[in-house]
Amino acid sequence: MYKFFKKFTLFFIIILFSNPIYSQENNLQKKWNIKKLIYSDNSELKLDNGNFIIIDQNSISEVMSEYGNRRYPYYKKSNILYLKSGGSEVEWKILFIDDNSLTLETPIGTYVLEE
């Protein structure tokens, strides 16, 4: 009986903690509207509709009407997205994520995104 209880407890813990991780992955992979970009000096660039960050399973695309489109392969570890840009690797840190919003700290500033 003890072995059954121990296995059941382990199974329950795995299910309990894997669901939020799975949910966060699903929440991350979608088309995000760029609401604003906050630079390191706290100045802001507010962007109109039509500017997006699209995150899928293998790549991140920046679609910006004034600056053009860029696509980067990436992988994720913990709260960091590692993008391949040219010959280097760039880190984008996930500061906040829920069903409708995402905030990413990037080398050029902090993206504030909404679904």
Side-chain angles (χ1 to χ4, degrees), residues 22-84:
Y22 176 77
S23 177
Q24 185 184 40
E25 285 299 319
N26 283 346
N27 287 343
L28 183 65
Q29 295 177 14
K30 60 176 83 170
K31 182 177 181 180
W32 297 96
N33 295 303
I34 304 172
K35 291 302 175 185
K36 63 183 170 182
L37 178 59
I38 305 169
Y39 295 105
S40 59
D41 67 356
N42 287 328
S43 63
E44 295 183 4
L45 173 63
K46 293 190 181 195
L47 297 163
D48 298 330
N49 290 335
N51 296 287
F52 307 101
I53 300 288
I54 303 169
I55 302 175
D56 63 30
Q57 188 174 3
N58 301 309
S59 66
I60 295 176
S61 299
E62 290 178 296
V63 179
M64 301 182 76
S65 57
E66 292 183 34
Y67 305 103
N69 302 343
R70 287 171 265 173
R71 186 175 180 176
Y72 310 99
Y74 83 100
Y75 65 95
K76 181 179 180 287
K77 283 188 182 177
S78 189
N79 283 350
I80 307 288
L81 306 173
Y82 296 91
L83 287 69
K84 305 267 183 174

Side-chain angles (χ1 to χ4, degrees), residues 15 20 60 111 115:
I15 295 299
I60 295 176
Y111 280 116
E115 186 176 17

